[in-house]
Each structure stands twice: as C-alpha cells, then as structure tokens.
Amino acid sequence: IGGFSYLMVTWTELIGNTIGIPSVIMGLTVLAAGTSVPDLLSSVIVARRGQGDMAVSSSIGSNIFDILVGLPVPWILFTLWPSTDSVVSIGSDNIWISIFVLIGMLAFVILAIHCQGWKLTKTLAAIMLALYVVFLVQA
C-alpha cells in the first residue's frame, strides 16, 4: 500500500507539473478522489439495496475515521521514531483562511441540506459541487 501510495502521489504531481496545475489542486482533486472512490462504490451498492441511511453513515463515518485515526497515527509514529525530531512541522501559508473557509462551508452545507428538507437531491448535489469549486479556487 505504501509503494502504491508513493507512486500515486509522485505521478499525480508529475502530471500536474506537466500540464501546469499546482500540486495543491492536484492533491485536493485527484488524490482525494482516489481515496474516496472505494467509499463511493460501497455507498452506491448499499444505497441500491435500499439502505440509504447506511450509505450516508458510511460516508460520514469514514471521514471521521480518517480525521481521528488517519491523520494523527502517522504523526505519532513519526514523532516516536528514535531518529527523528519530536516536532512535525506543517508548511502552510494562510492556514487560518482555509480553516475559516472550511467552517463557513460546513455552515453552508448544513443550511443547504436543511433547505432541501434533509434529503439528497440533484439540487443539493449541484450546491455541493459549487461549494467544492469555491474551495478549490480558494486553495
């Protein structure tokens, strides 16, 4: 898995540099899509079997797992490794702008879902896509 991950990141960056797309945008789209496709497929299969609630729960649960386990565990292992520093430095300019944009988008998503009657509709899908484009432009 580690080898495939390394190759996927390297090739994505290479393709982005070749066609002139910044690495950040490539990471937010191609790599994010690559990690979300298995969740998408499992959610579609479960939803087609009539378990729509389970599909939504799976999508939300996998993101919560990624944030609570997928991010901190590698950092903890990196800091516990004896030959490295105990600090993980994150090179991110304007991180506060990104944080406020994500919080604002969360509020807009909840508002959009509420306005659609808490149902997944094509209008809601279009709103979510538009919000994602706003996020990409901001990034």
Side-chain angles (χ1 to χ4, degrees), residues 12-78:
T12 300
E13 188 174 9
L14 180 66
I15 291 169
N17 290 338
T18 302
I19 59 179
I21 299 175
S23 297
V24 172
I25 300 298
M26 291 298 286
L28 289 172
T29 53
V30 176
L31 297 180
T35 60
S36 298
V37 168
D39 294 334
L40 169 71
L41 294 176
S42 67
S43 293
V44 167
I45 290 168
V46 170
R48 286 190 176 177
R49 291 184 179 171
Q51 301 291 327
D53 293 344
M54 184 181 271
V56 173
S57 298
S58 171
S59 297
I60 293 169
S62 68
N63 288 323
I64 291 171
F65 179 82
D66 289 345
I67 291 169
L68 295 178
V69 177
L71 288 174
V73 169
W75 283 8
I76 290 170
L77 293 176
F78 179 80

